[in-house]
Amino acid sequence: MTRGFYIGRFQPYHNGHQAVLERIAREVDEIVIGVGSAQLSHELLNPFTAGERVLMITRSLSEITCPFYVIPIEDIQRNALWVAHVRSMAPPFDRVYTSNPLVMRLFEEVGAEVHSPAMYERQTHSGTAIRERMLRGDGWEHLVPPAVVSVIREIDGVERLRQIARSD
Ligand code: ATP
Ligand code: MG
């Protein structure tokens, strides 16, 4: 039994994340998805709550056959202890999938098996680019799975982002 671990902030979850997870699903028996900076929400870089991000991910992956678990993980502000913190919250896993250099480094230092999935159209498919499009009023819906569009509509997410971007 191989369990793969994939972590992100998913602000929001987009087609790049989905493409990587669909590939991971073909390589492992089960997937553990960590929702990082779980305590953050209602800010420009982190508009959505952990629960909202869990909804986006769970609904978007409803069709994949590989079992998966979505685990919110709060920040601890101590990188040297972070891997132990993640392991204390997540189901056991033997393989880490990440392209984030810090995450890669922290897992490598404890001898974990780290895989770096290729980026999927990174220029357009990034959380930052999508949040900017939402703020500008440009179309963003084509960059995320349909389930994410409906979650963001349900929570009035674009208006939340615009409102917290205003000055008082
Ligand atoms: P932000 O711009 O807010 O940092 P992001 O798109 O980088 O958003 P994260 O939640 O930070 O998304 O990333 C989670 C993981 O997904 C990271 O390992 C990141 O490298 C990876 N990732 C992000 N975009 C893509 C993409 N287009 N293709 C493949 N992997 C991606
Ligand atoms: Mg990122």
Side-chain angles (χ1 to χ4, degrees):
M1 152 81 75
T2 303
R3 213 174 278 120
F5 179 70
Y6 184 65
I7 189 158
R9 286 169 26 258
F10 308 116
Q11 294 281 10
Y13 183 79
H14 57 64
N15 289 336
H17 302 133
Q18 180 88 352
V20 169
L21 280 166
E22 282 170 356
R23 218 201 76 198
I24 297 172
R26 287 184 244 118
E27 296 179 5
V28 298
D29 301 305
E30 293 191 336
I31 308 179
V32 179
I33 302 163
V35 177
S37 300
Q39 80 284 4
L40 299 181
S41 72
H42 296 78
E43 51 183 51
L44 274 180
L45 296 181
N46 299 283
F48 308 116
T49 68
E52 289 161 353
R53 291 175 273 160
V54 168
L55 265 189
M56 294 176 199
I57 298 165
T58 311
R59 289 191 188 165
S60 299
L61 293 175
S62 64
E63 315 258 285
I64 70 162
T65 49
C66 181
F68 64 92
Y69 310 92
V70 187
I71 313 291
I73 297 178
E74 293 185 23
D75 292 329
I76 55 162
Q77 319 296 353
R78 288 189 71 170
N79 289 338
L81 299 181
W82 184 76
V83 169
H85 170 63
V86 168
R87 288 203 186 279
S88 78
M89 301 299 294
F93 53 85
D94 11 59
R95 199 183 284 181
V96 177
Y97 289 86
T98 185
S99 328
N100 181 289
L102 173 63
V103 174
M104 213 181 274
R105 179 75 199 185
L106 295 176
F107 275 109
E108 281 167 358
E109 286 189 7
V110 298
E113 181 186 330
V114 178
H115 294 237
S116 287
M119 284 286 169
Y120 172 85
E121 300 178 10
R122 177 65 166 160
Q123 207 65 19
T124 42
H125 290 78
S126 87
T128 302
I130 293 168
R131 293 189 303 275
E132 281 168 3
R133 295 184 76 88
M134 288 173 166
L135 282 171
R136 281 201 307 263
D138 292 342
W140 52 274
E141 292 88 343
H142 59 293
L143 302 171
V144 303
V148 173
V149 177
S150 62
V151 171
I152 290 174
R153 289 222 177 102
E154 188 182 321
I155 63 173
D156 200 18
V158 174
E159 184 49 33
R160 176 192 296 171
L161 187 60
R162 295 213 182 116
Q163 191 164 354
I164 59 185
R166 283 181 211 132
S167 56
D168 56 10

